[in-house]
Amino acid sequence: MTSQPKPSALAQAIEAIEMLILETSDEARLLQTGAEILGRLVAQDDWLDPRFAQADASRYRQYLLHRDPDARFSLVSFVWGPGQATPIHDHTVWGLVAMLRGSEYAQPYVLDADGLRTAGPVQRLEPGDVEAVSPRIGDIHRVWNAYDDRVSISIHLYGADIGAVSRHTYDASGAAKTFISGYSELS
């Protein structure tokens, strides 16, 4: 009798997410159980292929790790070079951010009749931390690497193919500009 090789941590996480998506469309359950799955994934730091951990000197990188064939979810590694940041942006779908290496800050925002304003304090994510976003619970934020001297990496799970979703960046007044992020090319 031969034993089957153990699936990689990433393959196990993808399988668990696929099962979750088949079981429910309830966002609260997707976020809670998805956070548990991602938490287990980032609890170990030996599974990310080095190709998906390469920083770029000019801007952060967004590498596609897995896209569901029906675009029900995508799993992405975000690689933050020293001091790199996003503009203020939204996602328009539910999502989870799990910190793998380094640390990042996130400033949540809310857009209402009074315009764009901060919504609570800056949050710092450390390895193992998982944060949720969605239009229902809060979907607008600005994120940046907590370090000016090293790379940080977070793993993101979204309830769509995030690289193909029409989203928005916001200026300080709250004026929105539409964008589609796509994915970074492997070097």
Side-chain angles (χ1 to χ4, degrees):
M1 178 169 144
T2 60
S3 64
Q4 295 294 320
K6 181 181 176 192
S8 71
L10 179 59
Q12 289 176 26
I14 291 167
E15 183 179 341
I17 295 164
E18 288 171 343
M19 295 300 296
L20 175 62
I21 297 286
L22 288 173
E23 291 172 8
T24 189
S25 61
D26 177 67
E27 183 182 283
R29 183 159 172 232
L30 290 166
L31 291 174
Q32 178 182 350
T33 306
E36 293 167 5
I37 294 167
L38 281 188
R40 287 191 300 271
L41 180 62
V42 299
Q44 304 270 333
D45 188 7
D46 60 357
W47 58 268
L48 185 63
D49 183 316
R51 295 176 304 149
F52 301 105
Q54 297 299 310
D56 181 282
S58 60
R59 64 172 312 223
Y60 63 89
R61 308 287 291 201
Q62 176 176 291
Y63 296 108
L64 179 64
L65 300 175
H66 180 81
R67 175 181 29 232
D68 174 71
D70 296 323
R72 296 172 299 176
F73 72 93
S74 55
L75 196 58
V76 178
S77 69
F78 266 74
V79 182
W80 306 92
Q84 291 177 345
T86 68
I88 300 169
H89 66 281
D90 64 17
H91 308 87
T92 72
V93 299
W94 64 265
L96 292 161
V97 177
M99 206 66 216
L100 181 66
R101 295 179 196 156
S103 181
E104 68 186 40
Y105 289 114
Q107 173 62 67
Y109 288 85
V110 64
L111 181 62
D112 59 22
D114 296 327
L116 185 69
R117 57 186 167 79
T118 59
V122 170
Q123 302 159 345
R124 183 173 178 141
L125 276 77
E126 298 290 344
D129 291 345
V130 182
E131 175 188 39
V133 296
S134 86
R136 181 180 62 83
I137 64 170
D139 188 42
I140 302 172
H141 65 185
R142 179 176 174 269
V143 181
W144 63 98
N145 188 344
Y147 296 106
D148 290 330
D149 62 350
R150 61 181 148 158
V151 170
S152 292
I153 300 174
S154 51
I155 305 301
H156 299 221
L157 170 63
Y158 296 105
D161 175 2
I162 199 65
V165 172
S166 181
R167 304 190 286 150
H168 308 93
T169 59
Y170 298 89
D171 67 18
S173 73
K177 180 180 175 186
T178 302
F179 79 102
I180 297 174
S181 66
Y183 296 107
S184 300
E185 295 291 325
L186 292 174
S187 329

